[in-house]
Amino acid sequence: FHSFITGPSVVPGYFSVEAENVVLVLNGREKAKIAYATQWLHYTQMLIQTHKIQHVAVVLLGNEQCNNEWIQPFLKRHGGFVNLLFVTYDYALVNEEDIFQWPLGVATYRNFPVVEPSWSMLRDPRSYLCNFLGTVYKNSSRETLMEILKQDGLDKLCWIAARDQWQPQETNESFKNYQDALLRSDLTLCPVGINTECYRIYEACSYGSLPVIEDVMTPGDCGNSSMYHSAPLQLLKTMGAPFIFIKNWKELPAVLEKEKKMSLQEKIQRRKKLVEWYQNFKAWMRQKFINTLENSFLPSDKG
């Protein structure tokens, strides 16, 4: 039995359920958010000390450069009280024992919808080979991407809308445009931002547009343990994501050439495979989450 309480709870209120086990969903993106998250953790710690609750797990929207040191003292392994941590991005401390990688998913804060695959989404020919709608930062690989698209006239075959400054304030029109672009392109280009993993990857999957991912590690402290061999998107790769991974945008023209030669039938097969993989991935993550919580929190009946 689970109760889900949601809302922008900046200051800890109270857990309104008589719960023994609590999962906190916290934002650790930047300093101010970490301050609020820490308040929640201290409040929870008090409830543990007074035996109001027994077990705590945290799902953490981690820092994009994996600077999550602040949470470590709260973990059981460091003498704290948090039994399990599910954290976004390729955090080097992910060990599949008490620290697990959690997928970023779609941008729910922008009200990205739950998309049900329709007949036409899977089968209709799409007008564009690829899309990229986003910010082009100075001296980034995104500039390289734009140059490559322009020099081969490939930007004519793709839906490209680049801007030079990030705009968090999505208008209804720009959001609708973005969804249309995903629905009407065979491929979605996913250049790295501050982190290789971005909402775009999952949003493209929702609309059956295959992510083409720039498979390079971003600067910072993500995945610098030997386990990762400095390869990003460990979770998606382990789960067999059927994406196109490229190391450099110079490989893109060849990818698009191949794309032009694909029959609609082949594209339909690929789309079905992508959408099915994505649905299975979400179901698998959900089940793994529940199993992990149960194994850790609920008393086992073994003797």
Side-chain angles (χ1 to χ4, degrees):
F1 174 67
H2 309 98
S3 303
F4 181 61
I5 306 161
T6 182
S9 257
V10 168
V11 181
Y14 56 95
F15 300 137
S16 60
V17 282
E18 288 298 310
E20 288 184 0
N21 305 310
V22 172
V23 179
L24 288 173
V25 181
L26 301 174
N27 187 332
R29 269 279 209 264
E30 65 238 19
K31 282 211 164 52
K33 300 283 199 313
I34 291 169
Y36 299 137
T38 307
Q39 286 181 26
W40 269 102
L41 287 163
H42 286 312
Y43 170 64
T44 311
Q45 186 168 20
M46 185 191 75
L47 295 182
I48 289 241
Q49 284 160 351
T50 54
H51 303 293
K52 299 266 197 309
I53 55 178
Q54 288 184 358
H55 302 104
V56 179
V58 169
V59 178
L60 179 64
L61 178 61
N63 173 279
E64 288 176 279
Q65 296 181 319
C66 297
N67 307 326
N68 303 315
E69 290 68 39
W70 65 275
I71 191 106
Q72 288 187 36
F74 293 103
L75 303 182
K76 259 253 157 74
R77 55 165 54 226
H78 296 301
F81 60 91
V82 173
N83 302 74
L84 302 168
L85 174 64
F86 299 88
V87 58
T88 54
Y89 305 117
D90 294 279
Y91 190 35
L93 299 186
V94 166
N95 56 16
E96 291 292 320
E97 286 162 34
D98 60 338
I99 305 178
F100 301 84
Q101 189 171 350
W102 194 249
L104 195 55
V106 301
T108 47
Y109 72 92
R110 286 208 315 249
N111 297 320
F112 192 88
V114 175
V115 183
E116 290 301 330
S118 62
W119 193 92
S120 67
M121 184 208 288
L122 291 173
R123 291 181 176 76
D124 283 357
R126 299 192 171 194
S127 350
Y128 300 93
L129 279 188
C130 71
N131 76 75
F132 174 67
L133 283 69
T135 314
V136 177
Y137 305 103
K138 281 266 164 279
N139 305 321
S140 68
S141 66
R142 298 182 175 199
E143 279 195 334
T144 315
L145 170 59
M146 298 316 290
E147 282 160 21
I148 284 167
L149 284 168
K150 286 197 183 85
Q151 75 193 17
D152 292 341
L154 295 168
D155 52 345
K156 308 276 187 295
L157 309 171
C158 295
W159 183 329
I160 307 295
R163 46 175 186 242
D164 50 13
Q165 271 189 318
W166 187 65
Q167 291 166 324
Q169 286 349 89
E170 190 82 68
T171 62
N172 283 345
E173 190 191 8
S174 67
F175 191 48
K176 173 90 178 66
N177 246 343
Y178 173 61
Q179 288 171 279
D180 273 353
L182 296 177
L183 186 57
R184 293 172 60 194
S185 335
D186 289 309
L187 305 174
T188 291
L189 308 181
C190 301
V192 298
I194 303 175
N195 193 290
T196 311
E197 188 178 6
C198 57
Y199 298 114
R200 191 191 306 273
I201 296 171
Y202 302 92
E203 291 165 350
C205 291
S206 300
Y207 282 104
S209 182
L210 193 80
V212 179
I213 293 179
E214 183 183 358
D215 188 16
V216 296
M217 233 13 184
T218 39
D221 293 320
C222 295
N224 49 16
S225 72
S226 58
M227 170 181 161
Y228 287 106
H229 310 299
S230 75
L233 306 178
Q234 211 56 33
L235 176 64
L236 291 170
K237 288 173 181 168
T238 307
M239 293 304 296
F243 305 159
I244 295 174
F245 292 99
I246 62 181
K247 288 289 176 207
N248 190 308
W249 289 115
K250 291 179 179 144
E251 298 170 42
L252 184 62
V255 169
L256 295 181
E257 272 312 308
K258 201 171 150 189
E259 210 50 32
K260 288 182 201 166
K261 300 188 175 105
M262 271 180 90
S263 69
L264 178 59
Q265 210 43 51
E266 289 171 305
K267 287 180 178 177
I268 290 171
Q269 286 316 110
R270 184 177 66 184
R271 254 179 250 166
K272 284 182 179 168
K273 186 178 149 188
L274 174 66
V275 167
E276 190 179 343
W277 172 83
Y278 184 49
Q279 286 174 326
N280 289 339
F281 173 71
K282 289 188 289 188
W284 187 85
M285 287 307 300
R286 179 173 178 270
Q287 199 49 53
K288 180 182 174 179
F289 182 65
I290 292 167
N291 292 350
T292 306
L293 290 177
E294 286 180 350
N295 292 339
S296 177
F297 290 4
L298 302 181
S300 63
D301 302 325
K302 302 189 184 85

